[in-house]
Amino acid sequence: MISLFRSRNGLRYYLFRGIGLSILLVLGIFGEGAWQVYHTGSQPLPGHIRADAALVLGAAAWDKRPSPIFRERINHAITLYQSHRVEKIVFTGGTPKKGYMTEAEVGRRYALKQGIPAHNILFENTSRNTYENIRNIRPILRAEGIGSIIIVSDPYHLARALEIASDLDIEAYISATPTTRFDQSKEKNKFLLQESYALFLYRIGKWSENFWDWLTMSKTEDE
């Protein structure tokens, strides 16, 4: 086995070197993503930023009640609304189980109870993940003339959400919830790793799709 690495000639040497470089590349991409997840989540919303609406990313709901995570996101969006930094609140998220109220409906119900006028609350209730959360509200934003949003979620969730919004040509800013159940060290590190991995997979999928589009376009042009 050692001779494989000592020899600088032959297919096996280049094969192992290629594998080694690929591993380093993957680790580099993952590490850069982890840093972005951490850095983005720690950035406060600049004081001068205003937007047309706050987008509350969906989270678990317990029947008709928001989970603690979801409740913190809703409360933060309400704070942005009450401080006149947004004019509307948008809720997004479906339900994992038939017959239960959707996450978006739970969020809307909670906001109404907190005194937010119904005409300033928008929602879509079909999405099942972060990408769909943002993609599915685009028609609603266009129909309502909303040109900019502030995405509200837990700190480490925001890097991926912001990149998705950018890829979908949505003018977006981010504002992390000031409190989160992921404050404890163990949960915090776990969430950081989960979101870093999710961002890594999202980017790989996006780059693969772009490469395939380029490849098929090149083939078409050659023909």
Side-chain angles (χ1 to χ4, degrees):
M1 179 64 75
I2 294 174
S3 63
L4 291 177
F5 294 97
R6 283 181 177 170
S7 171
R8 292 188 176 273
N9 297 306
L11 181 60
R12 285 180 297 184
Y13 167 73
Y14 290 106
L15 176 63
F16 278 96
R17 189 172 74 166
I19 292 171
L21 289 173
S22 298
I23 291 171
L24 287 175
L25 178 62
V26 168
L27 290 175
I29 294 172
F30 186 88
E32 190 277 333
W35 164 248
Q36 190 169 350
V37 168
Y38 174 81
H39 180 71
T40 303
S42 62
Q43 298 301 302
L45 180 70
H48 67 280
I49 294 296
R50 301 287 186 277
D52 297 326
L55 170 64
V56 183
L57 295 182
W62 301 337
D63 193 13
K64 297 179 181 180
R65 295 179 295 114
S67 65
I69 292 175
F70 195 19
R71 187 175 63 244
E72 289 304 308
R73 296 180 187 182
I74 302 168
N75 285 335
H76 188 49
I78 290 173
T79 298
L80 292 174
Y81 176 87
Q82 291 174 339
S83 58
H84 306 292
R85 302 190 74 173
V86 297
E87 297 174 11
K88 296 181 184 294
I89 299 177
V90 184
F91 292 103
T92 181
T95 178
K97 209 170 181 181
K98 237 180 176 182
Y100 283 82
M101 190 175 283
T102 64
E103 293 168 2
E105 290 169 327
V106 170
R108 179 179 183 275
R109 183 172 179 267
Y110 183 94
L112 287 170
K113 285 186 174 182
Q114 304 306 311
I116 307 300
H119 63 271
N120 284 335
I121 301 175
L122 307 171
F123 71 100
E124 74 78 31
N125 56 12
T126 60
S127 55
R128 303 296 293 271
N129 55 51
T130 302
Y131 182 82
E132 291 180 2
N133 283 167
I134 299 171
R135 182 196 65 190
N136 292 357
I137 54 102
R138 285 196 303 172
I140 297 171
L141 299 183
R142 285 196 297 266
E144 296 291 330
I146 295 172
S148 59
I149 59 172
I150 296 174
I151 301 173
V152 174
S153 190
D154 292 83
Y156 291 160
H157 193 194
L158 291 173
R160 182 160 57 101
L162 185 61
E163 187 159 324
I164 291 170
S166 176
D167 291 338
L168 293 173
D169 295 320
I170 297 173
E171 183 184 346
Y173 307 94
I174 52 172
S175 186
T177 53
T179 58
T180 171
R181 65 167 283 229
F182 301 112
D183 281 336
Q184 293 181 354
S185 181
K186 188 177 177 182
E187 289 294 324
K188 195 174 183 180
N189 293 336
K190 183 180 176 183
F191 191 38
L192 174 61
L193 283 174
Q194 286 175 341
E195 273 304 315
S196 300
Y197 181 63
L199 179 60
F200 173 78
L201 290 182
Y202 173 73
R203 286 176 170 176
I204 293 298
K206 177 175 64 174
W207 295 336
S208 299
E209 189 176 323
N210 290 341
F211 177 72
W212 179 253
D213 289 343
W214 173 81
L215 197 63
T216 52
M217 192 178 295
S218 299
K219 264 188 172 182
T220 306
E221 289 173 357
D222 290 341
E223 291 170 358

